[in-house]
Amino acid sequence: MSRRARILLPLVFALAQLGPAAAAPVDDARLLAADADAANWLLPGRDYADRRFSPLRQIDASTVKRLAPKWIYQTGTAATFQTSPIVADGVMYLSAPFSHVMAIDAKTGREIWRYEHKARTRKLCCGPANRGVAIGYGKIFVATVDARLVALDQTTGKVVWDASLADPSSEPEPTEDRASLGKADPALKGAVSGSTGIGANSAPLVFDGKVIIGITGVGYGLHLDSDRPGAPLGAVVGVAGRYGRPGFIAAFDASSGAEVWRFDTTQQGWEGAFRQTTPYGVPLDRDIAAEKAAAPEHKDAWRYGGGSIWHAPALDPNTGVLFLGVGNPSPQAAGESRPGDNLYTSSLIALNARTGKLVWHYQQTPHDMWGYDVASPPSLFSLDVDGKKREVVGQASKLGWYFVHDRATGELLFRSEPFIPQSNMFRAPTPEGVVIAPGVGGGVNWSPASIDEANGIAFVAAMHWPSTYRAQEIPATADKPAVRYFNIEPAKSGMYGLMTAIDLRAGGKLLWQQKTDEPLIGGVLATAGGLAFTGEGNGDFSAFDARSGEKLWSFNCGAGVNAPPIAFMVDGKQYVAVAAGGSQIWGFRQGGAVIAFGLPD
């Protein structure tokens, strides 16, 4: 054997162990340039601006009818599946339910390595779903159902470090009498369950040597389980009391896992101004005098205040500012024990990415009693407003409006026309029940929107699913005081989805809408090929003409498509990929597949 062969053979052998594809380490320079990297999908929303828009155009309105599955990867776990994969240099990295992570060949779907997560608790606050991983500095990062942040070696999947975000077992026990609720109200059928807890299900964000992640579940409250398999959530149940803790978003050192900064989403002074209207002028059905009178008794309510983080933030690298939404306050649906506006819950907030300090906030729903989290990730883009180019941040809300703000100050520039029916919004509950729309699910739930900046269009996937909101009371007994509770029950029929294109240049006028059989949960991918992709709980994955809204193509994936699609290119060929695994909470058929579509060879 020649000396050259003796040198090269170990290298060849080492490369062979990487499997059919291997990605180069991803550094800050590559992440900052992600928007210009057409072939890859390096960040949760493809770029730091979180626009979820692909510049690829090989698959377009003239070729999409020939789109067909190129490979199917089975994770082996059939459960609520919400992942948005990332792709780097021909390798796809994805998270499965329960926070397992896989690397697969993006051209063939063959597994390269697999990380099986072992949760340290059986009590999951928010179900098994995980919305994606992050890549950077030779590592893959995943936030887990049991509130940990794990760094994996990008090449092998081996654990590099494992940091605790919080200890789920340390959460205080709820103060509400759950057993009394189930026994005293026949409508609840004794099935009240769930609790406030701690987990993490969003993709982390990597920036400047840091990994940024928020926790979920702290505003969760109680819920009524569905009475049959495959049925959606029965109801959200709220009871005044002290349970839970403040939510937070934090940054960790990417090398060691050490915490760098933390921002708590509820803080002392969260009562705010006791607003009688929203910041955009819509009246709120609140008894301000009663709230102010109760405030001294509940001055520490912020310590139990909730405010989950349901998505990875958007980031402006030029200013170093993060933009993200915050979830509802705790206890959910019950406002008596948390007087005031409950800052910074149900808000869009801007933070300094290097320090975690608050830059500005905009509270969409002060003193939220309706479950109107700011759950869908915001997007950053440039837009001409009143003849002037503005750097803006937009967010598709559960309220049924698309909000557009000045990125530097938070000033609301405009909100779109409603993209979903609205009725009885911000109405207080009654014993008979008030039917509110959007219901507790939204509007746009956590589903990411997609922004075609060049054409000034936002694409949103939304639902019409009204809820009946009741205030009820269990009478006092000789040994127990009366218990007042609130029940938000989603409608059993009449719900549907709306795929909508919003003309941002026209101040938020609706460009087109397409009604779908199922409420839309999962998100949108728009492409330079003039297409917008989204999926439904019935398994349909569809492509729409971005200009007209005409449905051009559809494929049934066999399980609910309730995850955001992505696009990428390998060896000069474009692919569109999506997870098909349904959702337990919405009653959609579950599975465990990722399917990649492409044009025939």
Side-chain angles (χ1 to χ4, degrees):
M1 182 184 295
S2 69
R3 180 174 181 273
R4 179 180 176 83
R6 287 196 301 272
I7 294 172
L8 290 177
L9 271 178
L11 177 60
V12 171
F13 178 78
L15 291 173
Q17 305 313 300
L18 299 180
V26 175
D27 58 12
D28 286 317
R30 285 193 70 183
L31 293 174
L32 290 167
D35 186 36
D37 185 354
N40 292 309
W41 191 288
L42 296 178
L43 286 151
R46 207 188 80 82
D47 57 13
Y48 278 127
D50 218 350
R51 290 187 287 258
R52 299 196 71 86
F53 181 87
S54 171
L56 297 176
R57 56 179 72 242
Q58 194 178 86
I59 301 168
D60 61 20
S62 64
T63 61
V64 70
K65 289 185 170 132
R66 296 190 287 123
L67 208 58
K70 304 302 282 187
W71 53 257
I72 300 173
Y73 173 77
Q74 295 287 355
T75 64
T77 303
T80 301
F81 202 9
Q82 299 174 347
T83 192
S84 179
I86 58 175
V87 176
D89 307 324
V91 181
M92 178 182 287
Y93 304 91
L94 63 103
S95 59
F98 301 100
S99 310
H100 309 314
V101 180
M102 299 87 180
I104 62 178
D105 188 311
K107 183 178 180 179
T108 66
R110 291 187 178 274
E111 186 175 291
I112 299 171
W113 56 253
R114 182 184 188 95
Y115 162 73
E116 292 280 346
H117 183 67
K118 295 178 174 58
R120 294 174 184 170
T121 178
R122 292 180 180 272
K123 179 184 176 184
L124 304 181
C125 74
C126 314
N130 189 284
R131 293 176 183 158
V133 299
I135 188 171
Y137 322 122
K139 303 180 187 71
I140 301 296
F141 303 95
V142 61
T144 72
V145 290
D146 56 334
R148 289 148 63 190
L149 180 62
V150 180
L152 307 172
D153 184 275
Q154 179 182 325
T155 303
T156 66
K158 302 296 184 185
V159 175
V160 178
W161 52 256
D162 183 338
S164 175
L165 300 175
D167 180 3
S169 66
S170 68
E171 288 304 292
E173 287 299 313
T175 57
E176 77 283 338
D177 189 345
R178 192 179 310 177
S180 293
L181 287 176
K183 292 176 181 177
D185 186 348
L188 298 181
K189 302 176 184 177
V192 178
S193 62
S195 68
T196 295
I198 291 183
N201 68 4
S202 66
L205 186 75
V206 172
F207 172 66
D208 192 30
K210 303 175 187 65
V211 187
I212 300 167
I213 187 66
I215 61 169
T216 57
V218 292
Y220 192 63
L222 305 175
H223 64 268
L224 174 63
D225 292 332
S226 57
D227 57 2
R228 57 185 174 82
L233 177 72
V236 171
V237 180
V239 184
R242 298 180 177 183
Y243 56 99
R245 53 156 294 159
F248 68 80
I249 185 168
F252 297 81
D253 184 274
S255 297
S256 66
E259 186 175 307
V260 178
W261 58 255
R262 175 181 297 211
F263 177 84
D264 286 331
T265 52
T266 65
Q267 303 177 17
Q268 190 170 14
W270 79 325
E271 294 83 5
F274 288 86
R275 299 187 63 103
Q276 192 68 69
T277 69
T278 68
Y280 40 94
V282 180
L284 296 165
D285 197 356
R286 295 173 65 179
D287 187 340
I288 298 296
E291 285 185 42
K292 288 183 175 180
E297 181 184 353
H298 300 286
K299 61 184 177 181
D300 65 342
W302 65 272
R303 297 182 183 275
Y304 313 91
S308 296
I309 310 296
W310 297 108
H311 54 252
L315 168 74
D316 184 343
N318 295 321
T319 60
V321 176
L322 295 168
F323 301 87
L324 64 145
V326 180
N328 58 265
S330 179
Q332 185 170 358
E336 298 115 319
S337 59
R338 47 175 176 84
D341 297 342
N342 309 145
L343 304 177
Y344 298 96
T345 64
S346 300
S347 298
L348 181 68
I349 65 173
L351 302 176
N352 185 305
R354 293 182 172 88
T355 66
K357 300 297 184 185
L358 182 70
V359 178
W360 56 258
H361 83 278
Y362 188 92
Q363 192 170 34
Q364 291 181 3
T365 307
H367 193 68
D368 183 6
M369 300 188 296
W370 304 272
Y372 289 147
D373 317 51
V374 182
S376 176
S379 303
L380 311 182
F381 49 95
S382 299
L383 185 68
D384 286 339
V385 180
D386 297 328
K388 181 181 178 182
K389 185 177 180 180
R390 306 286 291 264
E391 299 301 312
V392 303
V393 52
Q395 198 272 330
S397 72
K398 290 179 79 171
L399 300 165
W401 292 296
Y402 191 88
F403 289 88
V404 176
H405 300 261
D406 181 275
R407 203 183 302 174
T409 66
E411 175 195 357
L412 179 65
L413 302 178
F414 64 86
R415 54 192 166 106
S416 72
E417 294 178 338
F419 52 75
I420 210 78
Q422 297 173 326
S423 61
N424 290 325
M425 292 177 65
F426 310 127
R427 283 282 308 279
T430 66
E432 301 76 25
V434 176
V435 178
I436 58 174
V440 68
V444 175
N445 200 271
W446 63 269
S447 309
S450 182
I451 305 297
D452 180 350
E453 183 176 28
N455 292 301
I457 302 173
F459 300 92
V460 300
M463 69 174 89
H464 174 60
W465 200 332
S467 298
T468 300
Y469 192 13
R470 296 184 178 90
Q472 297 169 296
E473 186 170 291
I474 300 172
T477 63
D479 56 342
K480 289 185 177 181
V483 177
R484 181 172 162 85
Y485 70 97
F486 305 88
N487 185 353
I488 306 181
E489 184 179 2
K492 297 292 192 296
S493 62
M495 53 277 202
Y496 55 82
L498 281 170
M499 175 74 166
T500 305
I502 300 171
D503 189 340
L504 300 171
R505 292 175 177 171
K509 292 187 179 300
L510 304 191
L511 187 62
W512 55 257
Q513 285 194 304
Q514 282 284 4
K515 186 176 179 180
T516 61
D517 292 337
E518 301 281 2
L520 294 179
I521 301 287
V524 185
L525 163 72
T527 74
L531 300 171
F533 293 85
T534 197
E536 297 181 61
N538 59 15
D540 283 353
F541 181 50
S542 303
F544 298 84
D545 185 292
R547 280 295 182 181
S548 69
E550 178 187 359
K551 185 185 287 189
L552 301 176
W553 170 88
S554 190
F555 180 90
N556 191 274
C557 298
V561 180
N562 307 116
I566 68 165
F568 60 94
M569 182 172 279
V570 181
D571 292 343
K573 295 181 179 180
Q574 181 185 346
Y575 298 82
V576 174
V578 72
S583 174
Q584 181 180 21
I585 193 171
W586 301 107
F588 299 138
R589 182 183 298 175
Q590 296 172 83
V594 175
I595 306 176
F597 299 87
L599 297 174
D601 295 330

